[in-house]
């Protein structure tokens, strides 16, 4: 059981609280357990930062105390016991799937803060892929009622703002101008029940990339359908998505465990082949998703590119690449071997 020491340089950073979150996660990954204690320097730059650090430690159930800590000029260095531990990310990591404050499923993320922190940690490119349906429709769109309500969709798309899509596009324009090419913007797109892509004609252009996702399969009850019925309907929608110009298939196979169904592992190879034929990347996504190492092995054997997505819904989870790095290592890949959108 280890003690985590926070140098004054980290405590003085504008990212101090987010860095403490990353330090705790890194310590757990290295030791297999949460640190028993966090030691802060006796002198803090300001009382508010001190309180926020104490609150973050308390959120993780860790006791804190003041005391002597090793010195460091690097705000991204902490000490786990006597060992130095850098929180900087390895070269070449790109996140193509994170959310913004426009997401109904977000839990307090702010894209401006998130991208500043992500790039400071060393992310090569930070991408944001907001749910298109959440931009078009009200917050109860998470129930996916719009998939079969064509008249409702037409009414929304006929408005000048198309829900909040125009507002999102306007903010994206500002972010692009301010943040430069290390930040990219796309959409996470779903299907209507009839197989059309949930993307108004006016919104088809202007994005750096699109990622496709199967969150819900219209016309089938996943709680009562047989395995064969569910697999057939899901695979049909995967094929439909791949017929559109998406660059990445988000969180493959997530649909099944989210409805407490067994993952159809016998479909790994056939899905990988479909991705290869369509030229679409498969996303490693550890946001409450199953570990599908055999699927990604099949993808590599079929020539499918691998994309990384943190699927961050809260600022502290931005650039959470520890599980992705473990998966890449198991696959024999380096971060720079992963997906980049083609020009």
């Amino acid at each position: 059981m280890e003690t985590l020491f926070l140098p004054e340089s980290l405590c003085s950073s504008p990212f101090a609280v987010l860095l403490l979150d990353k330090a705790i996660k890194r310590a757990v990954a290295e030791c297999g357990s949460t640190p028993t204690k966090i030691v802060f320097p006796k002198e803090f730059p300001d009382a508010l930062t001190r309180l926020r650090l104490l609150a973050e430690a308390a959120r993780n159930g860790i006791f804190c105390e003041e005391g002597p800590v090793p010195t460091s000029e690097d705000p991204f260095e902490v000490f786990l016991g006597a060992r130095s531990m850098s929180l900087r990310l390895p070269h070449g990591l790109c996140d193509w799937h994170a959310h913004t404050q426009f997401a109904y499923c977000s839990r307090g993320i702010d894209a401006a803060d998130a991208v500043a922190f992500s790039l400071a940690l060393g992310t090569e490119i930070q991408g944001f892929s907001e749910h298109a349906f959440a931009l078009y429709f009200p917050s109860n769109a998470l129930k996916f009622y719009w998939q079969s309500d064509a008249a409702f969709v037409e009414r929304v798309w006929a408005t000048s703002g198309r829900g909040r899509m125009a507002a999102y596009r306007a903010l994206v324009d500002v972010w692009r101008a301010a943040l430069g090419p290390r930040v990219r913007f796309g959409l996470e797109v779903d299907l209507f029940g009839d197989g059309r892509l949930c993307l108004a004609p006016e919104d088809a252009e202007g994005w750096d990339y699109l990622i496709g996702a199967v969150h819900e399969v219209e016309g089938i009850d996943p709680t009562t359908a047989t395995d064969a019925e569910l697999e057939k309907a899901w695979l049909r929608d995967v094929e439909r998505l791949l017929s559109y110009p998406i660059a990445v298939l988000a969180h493959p196979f997530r649909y099944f465990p989210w409805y407490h169904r067994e993952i159809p592992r016998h479909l790994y190879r056939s899905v990988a082949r479909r991705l290869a034929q369509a030229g679409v990347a498969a996303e490693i996504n550890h946001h409450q998703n199953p570990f599908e190492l055999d699927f990604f092995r099949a993808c590599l054997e079929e020539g499918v590119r691998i994309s990384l997505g943190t699927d961050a819904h809260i600022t502290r989870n931005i650039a959470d690449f520890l599980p992705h790095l473990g998966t890449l290592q198991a696959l024999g890949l380096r971060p720079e071997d992963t997906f980049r959108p083609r020009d």
Side-chain angles (χ1 to χ4, degrees), residues 82-105:
R83 303 193 307 278
S84 169
M85 191 167 66
S86 176
L87 302 178
R88 296 182 187 276
L89 295 171
H91 174 73
L93 286 170
C94 298
D95 182 4
W96 302 106
H97 186 172
H99 290 280
T100 72
Q101 55 266 47
F102 277 81
Y104 294 130
C105 52

Side-chain angles (χ1 to χ4, degrees), residues 236-272:
R236 175 204 65 201
D237 278 6
V238 169
E239 291 175 340
R240 287 171 167 175
L241 272 175
L242 296 180
S243 70
Y244 294 102
I246 64 170
V248 179
L249 180 64
H251 40 66
F253 293 94
R254 187 186 84 165
Y255 176 80
F256 297 93
W258 277 48
Y259 279 107
H260 309 290
R261 304 295 292 263
E262 287 292 321
I263 297 175
R265 292 176 173 83
H266 60 279
L267 293 180
Y268 282 177
R269 181 67 61 176
S270 61
V271 171

Side-chain angles (χ1 to χ4, degrees), residues 117-180:
F117 181 53
S118 180
L119 298 186
L121 280 173
T123 304
E124 181 180 334
I125 297 175
Q126 178 60 58
F128 293 94
S129 304
E130 199 50 82
H131 292 289
F133 72 79
L135 294 169
Y136 289 132
F137 312 125
S139 59
N140 61 358
L142 291 169
K143 296 178 181 179
F144 291 88
Y145 62 91
W146 48 268
Q147 285 186 309
S148 58
D149 193 343
F152 167 73
V153 171
E154 291 301 324
R155 289 196 301 272
V156 172
W157 284 3
T159 64
S160 58
R162 296 183 301 287
R164 300 178 300 152
M165 180 63 81
Y168 180 68
R169 274 186 172 277
L171 192 56
V172 165
D173 289 342
V174 172
W175 282 334
R176 278 177 168 157
L179 300 172

Side-chain angles (χ1 to χ4, degrees), residues 208 279 305 339-343:
D208 294 311
R305 293 174 297 164
F339 163 83
R340 307 290 193 278
R342 294 193 177 106
D343 294 329

Side-chain angles (χ1 to χ4, degrees), residues 107 254 257-258 285-291 310-311 313 317:
R107 295 184 291 117
R254 187 186 84 165
W258 277 48
N285 181 322
H286 288 280
H287 175 67
Q288 304 177 35
N289 295 312
F291 189 73
T310 62
D311 211 347
H313 288 67
N317 289 345

